[in-house]
Amino acid sequence: LDGSFHVEGPLGKRTTLLVTGRRSFVGEVTKAALESSGDIRLQIAPYYWDVVGRVDHGTGTDHHLFLTAFAAQDRLEMIVPDERAGSPEVNEAVDAIAMDLRFSRFILGYDARLGAKVRNELRLAAGRTAESGHFFGTINFDGHGPLYNVRDELSVLARPWLTATAGLDFLWTPYVYDVTVAGWPQSLQDQRFGDRGLYASLDLRP
């Protein structure tokens, strides 16, 4: 149903590289199986692909730095000739279903031991998300935009049996989208989303 590759190895004494990826063939298999049927046609066979790359660099046990990049896409378009449920004002393809989801991310991570009992983990992320599709002329959607994320977590080993942790998490994405639904007087459009969080915990190990 899919093919993949995986490569991993050292780039030096303290640096390593990992690259892996997949590509599905389920769309081609499904399309071949449906060729004898007139009820459903696959204009674009469903498939997905994803790829990940990561570089790690360490300076002993106290500091660890890494950069991860990954991306993926899922896609489907299917035609049902006898279907006429929606409105051409929403989407002219009233006999079809389509979906296309894509995203990419870059994550920079830095783990540091700040003392014998203090450890900090920092993550900085940036990327992009895009999604579009329609369903038998009843709904049509298209959205895309960047995404930014910051997370930092500080842990303190107060006692051999007690660890205190505090952290923050911030997410921001100015998202451009357009959603049209049959029967609704107006479409939904652009928005900005943001999430902010603070957290703390105590871990006891008797």
Side-chain angles (χ1 to χ4, degrees), residues 172-184:
W172 170 250
T173 172
Y175 203 67
V176 178
Y177 69 96
D178 189 353
V179 181
T180 305
V181 180
W184 282 42

Side-chain angles (χ1 to χ4, degrees), residues 96-174:
I97 298 173
M99 182 181 67
D100 196 342
L101 306 176
R102 305 178 303 280
F103 69 88
S104 60
R105 297 286 187 275
F106 292 90
I107 301 176
L108 179 64
Y110 178 54
D111 300 334
R113 189 175 298 278
L114 305 178
K117 299 181 178 181
V118 182
R119 181 177 179 84
N120 191 79
E121 297 181 355
L122 174 65
R123 302 290 183 268
L124 305 175
R128 189 170 182 83
T129 300
E131 50 190 355
S132 62
H134 54 85
F135 184 81
F136 290 139
T138 59
I139 184 172
N140 187 87
F141 64 93
D142 182 22
H144 57 274
L147 179 144
Y148 310 100
N149 184 220
V150 177
R151 170 177 281 204
D152 192 70
E153 183 175 285
L154 182 69
S155 299
V156 179
L157 183 64
R159 295 287 187 273
W161 46 270
L162 177 63
T163 302
T165 301
L168 61 87
D169 202 347
F170 175 77
L171 173 70
W172 170 250
T173 172

Side-chain angles (χ1 to χ4, degrees), residues 3 27 38 49 62 72 76 82-83 94 97 107 109 111-112 116 124 126 170 180 185 190 195:
W49 63 260
D62 293 337
L76 166 68
D82 296 333
E83 183 65 42
V94 294
I97 298 173
I107 301 176
D111 300 334
L124 305 175
F170 175 77
T180 305
D190 306 353
D195 287 320

Side-chain angles (χ1 to χ4, degrees), residues 5 17-22 49-55 66-74 101-109 123-130 147 149:
F5 69 90
L17 171 68
L18 179 149
V19 181
T20 184
R22 296 181 301 170
W49 63 260
D50 53 65
V51 62
V52 180
R54 173 162 169 156
V55 176
F66 69 85
L67 176 63
T68 300
F70 58 97
Q73 180 178 14
D74 291 272
L101 306 176
R102 305 178 303 280
F103 69 88
S104 60
R105 297 286 187 275
F106 292 90
I107 301 176
L108 179 64
R123 302 290 183 268
L124 305 175
R128 189 170 182 83
T129 300
L147 179 144
N149 184 220

